[in-house]
Amino acid sequence: QPSSLSGLPAGVGEALEAEGVAELYPPQQAAVEAGVVDGDSLVAAVPTASGKTLIAELAMLSAIERGGTALYIVPLRALASEKKTEFERWEDHGITIGVSTGNYESDGEWLATRDIIVATSEKVDSLIRNGAPWIDDLTCVVSDEVHLVDDSHRGPTLEVTLAKLRKVNSGLQTVALSATVGNAGVIADWLNAELVESDWRPIDLRTGVHFGNAIDFDDGSKREVPVDRGEDQTARLVADALDTEEDGQGGSSLVFVNSRRNAESSARKLTDVTAPRLTGPERDDLRELAEEIRGVSDTDTSEDLADAVEQGSAFHHAGLASEHRSLVEDAFRARLIKCVSATPTLAAGVNTPARRVIVRDWRRYDGEFGGMKPLDVLEIHQMCGRAGRPGLDPYGEAVLLANDADTKEELFERYLWADAEPVRSKLAAEPALRTHVLATVASGFASTRDGLLSFLDNTLYATQTDDEGRLAAVTDTVLDYLAANDFVERERDAGAESLAATGIGHTVSRLYLDPMSAAEMIDGLRTVATGDAPSDVVDAGTGTSADTGEFIMTAENTDDDEPGFGTYVRADAENGDASGEAIDGEANADAEDGDETAAASSEVTPLGIYHLVSRTPDMYELYLKSGDRETYTELCYEREKEFLGDIPSEYEDVRFEDWLASLKTARLLEDWATEVDEDRMAERYGVGPGDIRGKVDTAEWLLRAAETLARDVEGVDGDTVVAVREARKRIEYGVREELLDLAGVRNVGRKRARRLFEAGVKTRADLREADKGTVLGALRGRERTAERILENAGREDPSMDDVRPDKSASAAAT
Ligand code: ADP
């Protein structure tokens, strides 16, 4: 019984019992026996929904009771807030919780006061790079979904981050939670941890394949689900679950498909199944929910989602806005939405169980593979694991679909009878090591080549590999690259090779940039200062750098509204609140008495800067679709003068295609910064609103980094710094230049700023003086919004009582 556990804060055991944990599940019991509440390290490899989170909570709470602090590492941002909400119930027992997502470069000092900190692995990595002091005091770290070390993009970060945490805290308790994978023992070896491995599940999971008129389950049983001619297999299975009442309720379904578009069309189709089965009150609640969904944003996706939800069916994918995602998740958990069609991202984390899981697609298009590729066994198992809600359903069912007998056999062999693949480290690859080697050297974890290699010996890669030379070989290649770009300095004496990060190397590490992105940006920014005449480099360089030096001081002390302005200047930026306009003035003066350098830099346009950050490896590219090549080639020649650096020749096929794909991203950003409507953008680029936000966020971060680099490296003039900052601000707010001031007022945003501007309210200062009826008219009569905006602009009396909206203002706005 939880209340008989010792070592937990007072009342925790009782609270667990009160929330229905009468006794520990067997894997939880095994974890306690393995010492998880006594500070011992543990790897728990157990199925989805078998209570892994409670194992972690027991570890963290007992660590806190002993006077320590805990860090909970999650793989996705969306999970960070979910976990935080979950842990917040311990606040009644005096435990404080903090979540760290946000900007990469902030050092999160306030987190030092928290007992439990939740963060993504990237965020933890960044906090270590920026020297967050509390990192050294941690006593317990939990790594959720640790099997994702296998992921080639994000796995290495988790691996290196755990190695660093364990290096600075020698007695650190490490609790790693994993799905059931083929080689959990290797993860336990790597982390020096006890292993709890189990197939136990709190409720039965039956897995099977539907073919013809029945589901064949792995336990040999069969369920008749006849499908009429021309009837859709998925729809039939969703209907069957809904029509089978347990505890007086039909069962909900989760349908996994292989693309966003398929998720949307599947949800639409399944409304035919869900709509006729809704009760009157459910229909009312869903109508309300649909309104809420429409209120999040007025985009096509929002509208499509609301239309489906109104009829009891929803879609869920990474292109959705996060508010949309959580509305769908909550309503599905509350059994209001009957069926969710999702892409596999949903399977990886968020807790949304259903009575029946239907895996409609088990192959997905893979560009590198060059066709449809079968999903990993682990992925399919995780999807299946979402079936069955403890306490709600008597059992869970996961069903794969086949339309011929051979496929049925194949699905059993490939997935249902198979073990998940073993986890394999992806660390020994250049892109991964490029960034982690620099960070490891810059944050003082290694100061020689040998020290670096011995640090890397603490990774999963080293535990797993038979080829010991490989890691060293890739490390050397990467060191050559870092040295050639002046990020690292090497010195050989007496056989030993010492390593140190240069000033710019430190900056790059703290900015959380891939060194290759930094090199690309630095090169591009320098082409502006030096133009095409290399003989000017020396002169212009010295001249400008003196000017730039002064300029930096001014910028640091006067920047007013940007907390994340840059790592070095943060403290100053927060104190200073003098006008930012002075900066521009001064920089322009610089430009005027400059020579060719200044003339060259006058050509720097936002598009050029957006292209520069879009072609770095830190920006995930948009695909070039058929027809795009022509469109963007044309655009490339039309606006040739604006790009920083050389344009690859059309004959260099691959490089040129890449360059054009970056141009597509750059134009998306330019559209955003010129107030193009989000729906139009979604259509133009074939992406969802969530993707647009994602690109914009990434661009904002990269532009901030570019601004810092432009200021810190030699050979970039002050005018360029200003141009980068302007381009960045326009991305931040999504507006043309004249709206920057207005859009900076909280709650205004790009659309309202434009409407206010059209009605003659053009600045923050105008908001303090303007006729209230005009403001209210421009804001389409929304009184509370208007009051909040006026208050945020610093107006003395923001009240809208008895104010009538000026109709002509709202007319001017449309
Ligand atoms: P996992 O993290 O393994 O996917 P969760 O921790 O989300 O699974 O657990 C699934 C559900 O089981 C949660 O709702 C949790 O409250 C519940 N649960 C966990 N342990 C117990 C227990 N010992 N008794 C009853 N319910 C439990």
Side-chain angles (χ1 to χ4, degrees), residues 19-25 28 46-54 83 86 144 177 202 351 386 390:
E19 66 188 48
V21 181
E23 52 184 23
L24 295 183
Y25 288 158
Q28 294 165 344
V46 293
T48 318
S50 304
K52 287 196 287 284
T53 309
L54 183 56
K83 287 297 167 192
E86 208 172 333
D144 197 357
L177 309 177
N351 187 18
R386 292 283 155 209

Side-chain angles (χ1 to χ4, degrees), residues 240-312:
D240 177 63
L242 274 176
D243 293 341
T244 308
E245 293 206 353
E246 304 278 354
D247 288 346
Q249 288 240 25
S252 56
S253 296
L254 193 50
V255 179
F256 284 108
V257 299
N258 59 8
S259 73
R260 296 173 186 186
R261 192 168 304 204
N262 283 338
E264 295 183 12
S265 62
S266 164
R268 201 175 314 123
K269 252 193 282 174
L270 290 170
T271 56
D272 290 345
V273 177
T274 53
R277 290 171 171 81
L278 297 172
T279 65
E282 282 176 335
R283 235 171 261 134
D284 294 341
D285 289 349
L286 285 168
R287 209 169 295 130
E288 224 166 275
L289 176 62
E291 268 322 295
E292 216 175 321
I293 287 171
R294 290 191 181 98
V296 171
S297 62
D298 52 4
T299 59
D300 289 346
T301 311
S302 186
E303 193 58 39
D304 292 347
L305 182 63
D307 288 348
V309 162
E310 215 156 15
Q311 306 183 66

Side-chain angles (χ1 to χ4, degrees), residues 210-212 215 225-228 230-242 251-257 262-263 265-267 269-274 277 313 338-342 356-361 399-403:
H210 183 269
F211 163 58
I215 309 171
V225 187
V227 180
D228 293 337
E231 194 181 17
D232 180 74
Q233 213 176 354
T234 307
R236 188 72 211 91
L237 285 162
V238 172
D240 177 63
L242 274 176
S252 56
S253 296
L254 193 50
V255 179
F256 284 108
V257 299
N262 283 338
S265 62
S266 164
K269 252 193 282 174
L270 290 170
T271 56
D272 290 345
V273 177
T274 53
R277 290 171 171 81
S313 169
K338 306 298 175 189
C339 178
V340 172
S341 301
R356 182 172 279 174
V357 163
I358 299 164
V359 182
R360 197 194 77 178
D361 301 332
V399 187
L400 279 66
L401 307 186
N403 40 30

